[in-house]
Every structure is written in C-alpha cells, then in structure tokens.
Amino acid sequence: MKQTTVGGNKRKAANFLAMLGLIIIFVAYMFPFLMVVINSLKQKRDIIKSPFSWLFTIKGLSFDNFVKAFNQMDFLNAFKNSLIVTVSSTVLVTLLAAMLAYYIVRNNNVISKIMFALMVASMIIPFQAIMIPLVSIYGGTLNILNHRATLIFMHTGFSMAMSVFMFHGFIKGNVPIALEEAAYIDGCTNSQTFFKIVLPLLKPIISTMVILNSLAFWNDFLLPSLVLTDKKLLTLPLSTYSFYGTYSADYGTIMAGLLLCVIPILILYIVLQKQIIGGVVAGAVK
C-alpha cells in the first residue's frame, strides 16, 4: 500500500510537471499572436513607446487601425482574389491527388512505383531553388505571368506530391478493396466506383488536406509575389505589404491587416477541426 501511494505521488508530480511544461510552451507559442492582437488596438505612438504594455495600462484604445487597414489594402478585392486562388487550387489538388493516389495504390506495377517514388523525391527540392528559372520560363518565354490561372496552376503542381503521399497512405490502409469488388460486381465502372464508393470514404483525409493546403495557399507570399504584379490581382498577404514605407511603417495598421488576413482561415479551421483530428488519427487504430 505504501509503494502504491509513493507511485501515485510520483505520477501526480510527473503529470503536474508535464502540464506545467505544456502551459509554458502554449504561452510561448501564443505570445506573439497575443501581442499582434493587443498592438492592433493601439495607436502608433503607444506601440513604439511600449509595445509590450497591456491595453488597460494605456490610453487611446481604438479600432481605427482596422478601418484604415480595410480601406488601404482594398480588403474586399484582395479577399476575393485570395478566395478564388485558394478555393480553386484546393479543389484541384484534392481531386487530382486523390485520383492519382487511388490509381497508384490499385495498380501496383513498375510504372506506378516509379511515379510515386519520383513524386516523393520531389518533396525534398526547395522552392527557392527553382523559383528564378520558373519566373524566367513563365514570364520571359511563355509570358503568362500576372494571371490568377497561372498562380492556381503553380499552387496545384507544387502541392501534388505531398497530397498524393498523404492520400496514398490513407487509401492503402483504410479503404478495403472488397467494397470496390462488390461495386464492380454490381456493374459500376472505374469512375463510378471511385466517386461513389472510394471518395466518400476519404472524408477524414480530405478534410485534413483541405485545411493544410488552404492554409498554405491563403498565407503564401513568395509565389504570388513572383507571379502577380497587378494591384487588382493582389492577394491578402501581398496587399499587407502596402503598409510598409521606405523609411517607416505603420505598425498598428500592419497588425490589424494581419488579423484581417488570419480571421477567414481561422474560421475554416474551427469548422473542420473535428474532421482534421479524425484524418490525423485515421489508421492508427484498426
């Protein structure tokens, strides 16, 4: 009985230390975001004078930064551009990656293995290594930059390898081939089997890939900055760059603009949170 009590006390102490460590990590992780929220409600002089001060310690709390950011970054137009690019790219990469992964899993031949190996190997190539030749070819040779369709095409291509890899593992471990065989017996074609039988079973991993790809497309700054130069086509991350001057920057407006960019994708994550968790743990328990 005494050993059990000692063991129980040790376990409680270990749990307490683990929880304390998690709280410290959480505070350290959320502190920058909290500072953005707080400073977005301050005036510029208060941000420069005391950026780490809390709202109740200063005067001049105002939402003027959000109004100014909304107008200066042409939020509605930039939001429309980001929405078109993100939704189109996400739908394309999700559908094409699911179809390709399904083909690779169910056609276990040499060509499929080589194709999958090359796609996985391409994941280690950094985008920075190919961005200059990419811009030279698409801009100088083909002259098709400064179009939303070009950006959507590039987003889809660069995200295919990771998406196929994720779909491949899920289909291989969680989609029984017996269901497909039953569908074929009932007279379904290959496309009908995929869209009516297999695709509904991919809901957890689809939700996971939708949020991951949406986050990447929505927050991307480097690729859109290389492709888009027309102010009417700028996405939200690019539009926030207008707050930076040559010699100074309006930090309050910048932080308000950053929050305006984050809110839509944060809402999407909250809506799909249950499906995302299900997609992450799917296959862990048979």
Side-chain angles (χ1 to χ4, degrees):
M1 178 66 73
K2 186 175 181 180
Q3 292 181 351
T4 303
T5 303
V6 172
N9 292 334
K10 288 183 178 179
R11 177 171 295 181
K12 290 180 180 179
N15 292 338
F16 173 78
L17 292 176
M19 182 60 67
L20 182 61
L22 290 175
I23 293 174
I24 293 174
I25 294 174
F26 174 78
V27 171
Y29 183 82
M30 291 300 297
F31 182 76
F33 180 75
L34 183 61
M35 287 294 100
V36 170
V37 175
I38 292 174
N39 287 309
S40 67
L41 299 172
K42 296 179 183 179
Q43 297 182 8
K44 184 177 180 179
R45 65 173 184 272
D46 295 320
I47 297 175
I48 297 175
K49 183 179 179 180
S50 54
F52 295 103
S53 62
W54 300 100
L55 295 177
F56 55 81
T57 63
I58 62 173
K59 296 181 180 180
L61 177 63
S62 174
F63 290 91
D64 292 342
N65 290 329
F66 289 91
V67 177
K68 185 178 179 181
F70 188 91
N71 295 325
Q72 185 172 338
M73 67 191 298
D74 195 5
F75 180 82
L76 293 180
N77 182 65
F79 177 81
K80 179 194 69 175
N81 293 330
S82 290
L83 189 64
I84 292 173
V85 171
T86 301
V87 172
S88 302
S89 303
T90 302
V91 171
L92 282 174
V93 73
T94 301
L95 182 60
L96 295 177
M99 295 172 66
L100 180 57
Y102 173 72
Y103 175 83
I104 292 174
V105 172
R106 294 297 183 246
N107 295 272
N108 192 21
N109 50 45
V110 177
I111 297 177
S112 298
K113 291 180 180 179
I114 293 175
M115 186 187 307
F116 183 67
L118 289 175
M119 295 195 74
V120 173
S122 68
M123 293 165 56
I124 67 174
I125 302 175
F127 171 74
Q128 291 79 1
I130 62 174
M131 66 180 186
I132 301 302
L134 187 74
V135 173
S136 299
I137 293 173
Y138 281 87
T141 305
L142 301 178
N143 195 25
I144 57 174
L145 294 182
N146 213 30
H147 295 283
R148 280 194 294 257
T150 304
L151 181 58
I152 293 171
F153 173 75
M154 291 184 179
H155 274 320
T156 303
F158 286 124
S159 303
M160 280 295 293
M162 182 63 182
S163 299
V164 169
F165 177 77
M166 296 292 290
F167 276 110
H168 180 277
F170 188 91
I171 293 173
K172 192 172 184 179
N174 296 275
V175 179
I177 195 172
L179 292 176
E180 301 169 37
E181 293 173 346
Y184 291 136
I185 293 174
D186 290 338
C188 289
T189 62
N190 290 333
S191 59
Q192 289 175 333
T193 300
F194 175 77
F195 286 104
K196 294 183 178 181
I197 304 299
V198 177
L199 196 60
L201 298 176
L202 303 182
K203 184 179 178 181
I205 189 64
I206 287 176
S207 300
T208 302
M209 296 312 301
V210 163
I211 189 63
L212 291 178
N213 287 323
S214 297
L215 281 169
F217 300 151
W218 187 272
N219 296 325
D220 190 19
F221 179 87
L222 182 56
L223 182 57
S225 67
L226 297 174
V227 176
L228 305 176
T229 57
D230 189 350
K231 291 184 178 180
K232 296 181 180 179
L233 299 177
L234 296 183
T235 58
L236 281 174
L238 292 181
S239 64
T240 58
Y241 195 69
S242 63
F243 301 137
Y244 293 89
T246 305
Y247 302 104
S248 63
D250 191 347
Y251 298 108
T253 309
I254 292 172
M255 295 180 186
L258 293 176
L259 286 179
L260 290 175
C261 295
V262 169
I263 289 173
I265 202 69
L266 183 62
I267 294 174
L268 176 64
Y269 178 82
I270 294 173
V271 172
L272 296 179
Q273 186 176 12
K274 184 181 295 185
Q275 287 79 9
I276 294 167
I277 296 174
V280 171
V281 303
V285 180
K286 294 292 184 181

